Amino acid sequence: MKTFKMLAFDLLVNDEIKEIPLTDGIIINQENSHKMWILELFTADTYYDFFQNFVTSGEALDARAIISLPDNEPAPFAVVVHSITKVGDKISVLIKGRLKAQRKKYAELLLAQLLEEGLRNDELLEAFDQGMRNRPSLKKNGE
């Protein structure tokens, strides 16, 4: 098994990206035959009901996590929320899933989207630079 620091996490819910602010987070590659990953989010307890809905439903969700370094591209996962534990005014959310096989480089997807929007020259360069720093959510069909 390998453990990594998770720096950012978001979920695709009803075709909208829901960013979850992390107090802390880890991600574990179980390196098993099922190719499973375990993600543990430590976040504000105001997200308890949000995550509890997914524990109850067992719904599979699309997620993205930035692992280890802020400059890394978001890794796409298919996940299920397994449990929530209250810890003071925070919650620990245990999520299990698989890394999605179809993974395109974030930079390529961002550039393609900016070109689709008609950006050119300095405007394109500036938007690309800002996008690589801020990592905005990209169109769903690009992922």
Side-chain angles (χ1 to χ4, degrees), residues 33-50:
S33 62
H34 302 290
K35 299 182 180 181
M36 294 298 294
W37 291 68
I38 298 173
L39 296 80
E40 184 176 16
L41 318 174
F42 195 59
T43 191
D45 65 358
T46 55
Y47 288 92
Y48 185 90
D49 290 338
F50 173 77

Side-chain angles (χ1 to χ4, degrees), residues 63-120:
R64 296 182 314 172
I66 295 179
I67 304 167
S68 299
L69 300 171
D71 292 338
N72 284 346
E73 69 180 77
F77 290 88
V79 299
V80 174
V81 180
H82 275 267
S83 64
I84 306 166
T85 304
K86 287 192 176 193
V87 182
D89 64 345
K90 306 277 189 241
I91 56 172
S92 171
V93 183
L94 185 65
I95 298 172
K96 294 183 181 181
R98 288 186 174 85
L99 190 62
K100 288 184 174 182
Q102 287 184 298
R103 184 173 177 190
K104 291 187 176 181
K105 299 235 179 258
Y106 183 84
E108 293 167 359
L109 292 171
L110 175 62
L111 182 58
Q113 183 171 313
L114 294 173
L115 287 170
E116 270 183 29
E117 293 171 7
L119 300 181
R120 299 286 183 258

Side-chain angles (χ1 to χ4, degrees), residues 1-19:
M1 286 198 279
K2 293 181 184 173
T3 303
F4 305 92
K5 174 85 171 160
M6 184 171 16
L7 303 176
F9 181 81
D10 60 48
L11 288 170
L12 181 64
V13 180
N14 299 324
D15 291 326
E16 289 186 31
I17 300 293
K18 176 78 170 170
E19 293 181 27

